[in-house]
Amino acid sequence: EQKGIALLLQALAVTTSGATLDVVGDGDQRAALECGAGTLGVAGRVRWLGALSQEPLVPLYRAAAAVVIPSEDEGLGLVAVEAQLCETPVIAFASGGLVDVVSDGATGILTPGGDVRALAAAMDALLARTDRGASLGRAGRNAALARFSPAVAAAHYRSIYERVTHDS
């Protein structure tokens, strides 16, 4: 429920591009969501992959046209960062930490929280681009590396430690 998969299924149902969806993860609502996909007429366009370890995620990220995050209450948005590191554009609701990770129009597409039609339009727009979002993916990777790479994190922690030890 927290990840917004029901809203994503609704968005998929109103897309015009014929988009397909791989759902990674599991939960106690999976059966209801699968049933909902059938009711919406999109069951044939959805693959339910269940919970996966980190290793098989990279090829999935890289094969995806986009990673869609329809969460309305997301923390940091680690999935968005992982997608960006794989040069996969992110489409998400402008919510929580996602607005800090995804730069609308530059590294991905942000839509108003809960707006299923806007989410569907963003999916269709990305798939209609001649580069299918590749430029967003490249920019996303550069932004993620500039912000989250081990060297950047180490420099940030070093700066904190130096301030603390010099202020004491």
Side-chain angles (χ1 to χ4, degrees), residues 5 8 20-25 45-49 60 63-64 68:
I5 301 302
L8 180 53
T20 60
L21 174 65
D22 289 341
V23 178
V24 176
R45 294 168 47 201
V46 180
R47 284 193 318 163
W48 301 90
L49 302 178
L60 285 172
V68 183

Side-chain angles (χ1 to χ4, degrees), residues 56-133:
L57 292 178
V58 171
L60 285 172
Y61 283 137
R62 289 185 176 151
V67 170
V68 183
I69 307 171
S71 173
E72 293 186 90
D73 189 25
E74 193 69 31
L76 166 64
L78 183 58
V79 169
V81 174
E82 290 173 350
Q84 289 176 328
L85 289 170
C86 292
E87 288 193 18
T88 305
V90 175
I91 299 171
F93 285 149
S95 131
L98 291 168
V99 297
D100 296 324
V101 174
V102 179
S103 177
D104 187 36
T107 65
I109 303 170
L110 294 174
T111 66
D115 189 336
V116 170
R117 294 209 175 272
L119 189 63
M123 293 163 59
D124 287 337
L126 184 127
L127 291 173
R129 290 173 63 131
T130 56
D131 74 348
R132 293 181 61 86

Side-chain angles (χ1 to χ4, degrees), residues 18-47:
T20 60
L21 174 65
D22 289 341
V23 178
V24 176
D26 248 331
D28 58 357
Q29 294 187 1
R30 179 174 170 172
L33 291 168
E34 287 185 37
C35 183
T39 301
L40 291 166
V42 296
R45 294 168 47 201
V46 180
R47 284 193 318 163

